[in-house]
Amino acid sequence: MVHTGKFDLDVYLRKIGWEGEPGADPGTLRGVHLAHLRGIPFENLDALRRVAPSLEIGDLVAKLVDGPRGGYCYEHNTLFAAALEALGFGVTRLAARVVVGADRIESRPRTHMALLVEVPGQPGPYLADVGFGAIGALLEPVPLVAGTEFEGAGRRHRLVTVEHPGPLELWVLQAYGEERVGVASDGPWQAQYAFTLEPFEHADFEVVNWHIGTNPRSPFTQRLYVQSVSAERHLLLHGRVLTETRADGAVSERELTDESEARRLLEAEFGIVVPDGTALFG
């Protein structure tokens, strides 16, 4: 294990509302993955204040498990990795290039954290990721198998491999959705992120976390980004725009009027209490 500090698996499982019998098996992996996504919101409030959040496990527990907050990818997946290791899974941390809308994979840096999970007794690993703040995110982990479509909790994904100049195989996670003009895609399959299986360490993510949380050019320091997932809907607050996507595909949007409304909405709809001194709209 790479984390330090205290992690209580039972407290974490109560937080996310998972009541199954813990074990290192595919059913537990799928169930805990989905429960985490539905139980803890994605948010960038620390980065809005140009503060890189701590990735130490004790601080993550205090913020995401005990506190009325969420976090972004490094926080979510570091916490989730600790839970998986406590359950008996093997976990490798991966660094990915987010390529939504990109013309070339190489044009994006490796700024996203994902997880490769080994399940005892299974022939191959799974890609797991509870920290991708987008509607194309995995809701359940998928086996690391190229070219096969997987459905999980109502979303469709597949993994493909693509040619590139590096020595390691390059994998791309794709999500199924309607074709959109100006978005690089393979028909209705939209590329989400690309990764190799090279292991990355806690120290690597400390560096990129500082960059994403403090750099004025980082998208997370520029505007509010909060999302939550339930069986009925995906709710996204991006800047002042609140977008609700229902399970049947219906989409509605509205623009918030001021910070007071945003604070009330964050607490009522996302379960997030905004820290004092945080400016939500620049």
Side-chain angles (χ1 to χ4, degrees):
M1 294 186 183
V2 299
H3 57 268
T4 60
K6 185 177 180 181
F7 178 80
D8 188 317
L9 179 62
D10 291 337
V11 172
Y12 166 80
L13 294 177
R14 284 197 297 272
K15 167 69 177 185
I16 64 174
W18 191 77
E19 298 178 345
E21 184 66 29
D25 56 76
T28 297
L29 177 60
R30 288 191 296 269
V32 175
H33 192 285
L34 181 60
H36 181 116
L37 277 160
R38 290 177 173 173
I40 306 176
F42 183 101
E43 51 107 324
N44 67 326
L45 296 182
D46 288 343
L48 276 182
R49 299 184 291 122
R50 304 286 172 86
V51 173
S54 171
L55 301 185
E56 296 306 317
I57 195 64
D59 295 329
L60 293 175
V61 168
K63 181 182 177 186
L64 277 70
V65 177
D66 299 335
R69 292 287 304 279
Y72 58 18
C73 71
Y74 318 117
E75 298 172 276
H76 276 282
N77 280 323
T78 299
L79 178 67
F80 189 55
L84 293 179
E85 288 171 333
L87 285 163
F89 296 97
V91 181
T92 300
R93 283 80 172 158
L94 305 176
R97 303 180 191 275
V98 177
V99 295
V100 178
D103 293 327
R104 296 184 308 109
I105 290 173
E106 296 80 6
S107 67
R108 299 287 180 83
R110 294 196 197 194
T111 57
H112 179 61
M113 181 183 186
L115 303 174
L116 191 69
V117 182
E118 300 282 350
V119 181
Q122 294 295 301
Y126 288 72
L127 176 69
D129 186 355
V130 295
F132 191 51
I135 199 165
L138 292 173
L139 294 181
E140 295 182 355
V142 294
L144 191 75
V145 176
T148 300
E149 180 180 329
F150 298 98
E151 190 278 334
R155 293 184 185 175
R156 296 161 62 185
H157 290 87
R158 72 181 183 186
L159 289 163
V160 299
T161 57
V162 298
E163 293 185 2
H164 76 122
L168 299 179
E169 199 165 37
L170 184 64
W171 295 80
V172 178
L173 175 70
Q174 297 179 332
Y176 188 87
E178 295 183 0
E179 295 186 61
R180 288 175 290 168
V181 176
V183 175
S185 68
D186 179 14
W189 288 100
Q190 309 289 335
Q192 303 299 302
Y193 54 79
F195 60 94
T196 65
L197 302 187
E198 178 185 359
F200 278 68
E201 303 300 333
H202 185 79
D204 299 317
F205 290 110
E206 287 281 7
V207 173
V208 72
N209 175 53
W210 178 84
H211 163 75
I212 292 297
T214 65
N215 190 325
R217 296 177 62 185
S218 163
F220 287 124
T221 63
Q222 295 177 25
R223 62 179 57 86
L224 181 65
Y225 197 97
V226 184
Q227 76 165 17
S228 68
V229 179
S230 70
E232 295 78 27
R233 67 180 184 178
H234 175 275
L235 197 62
L236 170 66
L237 179 58
H238 189 194
R240 294 177 179 267
V241 179
L242 179 69
T243 302
E244 181 184 61
T245 304
R246 307 292 300 184
D248 62 4
V251 179
S252 61
E253 287 187 355
R254 69 180 179 91
E255 187 168 336
L256 305 188
T257 57
D258 55 36
E259 292 221 2
S260 295
E261 182 186 12
R263 287 172 180 268
R264 291 193 299 270
L265 183 138
L266 285 172
E267 186 166 359
E269 298 290 347
F270 296 91
I272 294 171
V273 176
V274 180
D276 293 340
T278 302
L280 299 178
F281 305 136

